[in-house]
C-alpha cells in the first residue's frame, strides 16, 4: 500500500498505460519479452487487471497455452463476460489466432445467496464445457491475504478458500 492507501499495482498499471500510449507495437511487448523465457518454466500465470486495457491486451497476446478467466459470482461479472469475449475475439483476429479459453473459475461464491447460484448457472450456459467444478467461496481470509502480501495458502492454509 502507498501513503495514500491505494494499492501499488494500481499505480504501476496506470503508469504503464501512460508509458505504452505512444509505443509502436505496444500490444505485444510482453509477448516479445516472454519469448526470451521460452522453455524455462512449466507454467507462467499472467495476472491482468479486470479492465480491458493495453496491459490486459498484452497479457492476452502473450498467453501461449490459453486463458483462465476468474468470474466473481456477482451480477456485474455477467456484464463483463460479454466485453471480455469481444476483446478475446479481437485479440484472436489481430494478434493471437490460437488464443483459447482453457477454463473459467467461479470465485467469491456465497452459497447463502440465490444470486451466486444464478450467476454460476448463467456462466455455465455461456461456457458450457469450460467452467471448472471447483468454486472458490467468498472468504474474509481470502480478502485479507493480499494486505499481508501473502497467498491464501500461506496466510490461512486451513480456510475454505485455500
Amino acid at each position: 500500500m502507498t501513503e495514500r492507501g491505494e494499492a501499488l499495482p494500481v499505480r504501476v498499471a496506470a503508469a504503464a498505460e501512460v508509458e505504452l500510449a505512444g509505443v509502436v507495437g505496444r500490444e505485444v511487448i510482453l509477448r516479445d519479452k516472454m519469448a526470451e523465457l521460452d522453455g524455462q518454466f512449466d507454467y507462467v500465470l499472467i495476472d491482468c487487471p479486470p479492465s480491458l486495457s493495453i496491459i490486459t491486451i498484452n497479457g492476452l497476446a502473450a498467453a501461449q497455452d490459453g486463458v483462465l478467466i476468474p468470474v466473481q459470482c456477482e451480477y456485474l461479472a455477467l456484464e463483463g463476460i460479454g466485453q471480455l469475449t469481444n476483446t478475446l475475439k479481437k485479440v484472436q483476429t489481430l494478434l493471437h489466432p490460437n488464443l483459447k479459453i482453457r477454463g473459467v473459475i467461479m470465485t467469491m461464491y456465497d452459497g447463502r445467496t440465490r444470486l451466486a447460484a444464478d450467476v454460476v448457472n448463467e456462466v455455465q450456459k455461456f461456457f458450457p464445457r469450460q467452467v471448472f467444478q471447483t468454486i472458490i467461496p467468498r472468504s474474509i481470509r481470502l480478502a485479507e491475504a493480499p494486505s499481508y502480501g501473502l497467498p491464501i495458502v500461506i496466510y490461512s492454509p486451513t480456510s475454505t478458500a485455500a
Side-chain angles (χ1 to χ4, degrees):
M1 299 293 275
T2 66
E3 292 175 22
R4 293 184 195 160
E6 63 185 5
L8 190 56
V10 172
R11 288 182 60 196
V12 171
E17 290 283 337
V18 171
E19 290 291 322
L20 292 172
V23 176
V24 174
R26 64 183 170 263
E27 300 86 359
V28 294
I29 289 173
L30 182 59
R31 181 184 70 191
D32 294 346
K33 289 293 181 186
M34 287 187 58
E36 298 169 13
L37 303 175
D38 195 33
Q40 293 182 35
F41 299 95
D42 293 331
Y43 296 98
V44 175
L45 297 177
I46 304 168
D47 186 6
C48 298
S51 64
L52 301 176
S53 63
I54 192 65
I55 293 174
T56 303
I57 301 297
N58 258 274
L60 293 172
Q64 291 182 0
D65 294 325
V67 177
L68 296 175
I69 303 171
V71 178
Q72 292 182 6
C73 295
E74 297 176 0
Y75 175 75
L76 290 178
L78 293 176
E79 300 286 324
I81 286 177
Q83 294 174 343
L84 177 62
T85 54
N86 288 337
T87 300
L88 286 171
K89 287 176 186 173
K90 288 178 185 174
V91 170
Q92 287 169 324
T93 301
L94 300 171
L95 302 169
H96 191 338
N98 298 322
L99 183 63
K100 294 189 180 5
I101 297 172
R102 295 295 181 191
V104 178
I105 305 164
M106 302 307 300
T107 68
M108 298 182 77
Y109 182 84
D110 187 344
R112 301 170 297 176
T113 69
R114 175 181 237 169
L115 174 63
D118 289 346
V119 169
V120 171
N121 288 332
E122 287 299 314
V123 172
Q124 286 173 331
K125 287 178 192 174
F126 204 77
F127 300 105
R129 292 178 300 280
Q130 294 155 311
V131 177
F132 289 114
Q133 290 180 352
T134 300
I135 296 176
I136 301 171
R138 183 177 294 277
S139 164
I140 190 64
R141 295 284 184 225
L142 187 58
E144 292 171 346
S147 67
Y148 290 92
L150 297 171
I152 187 65
V153 294
I154 293 174
Y155 177 70
S156 183
T158 59
S159 70
T160 56

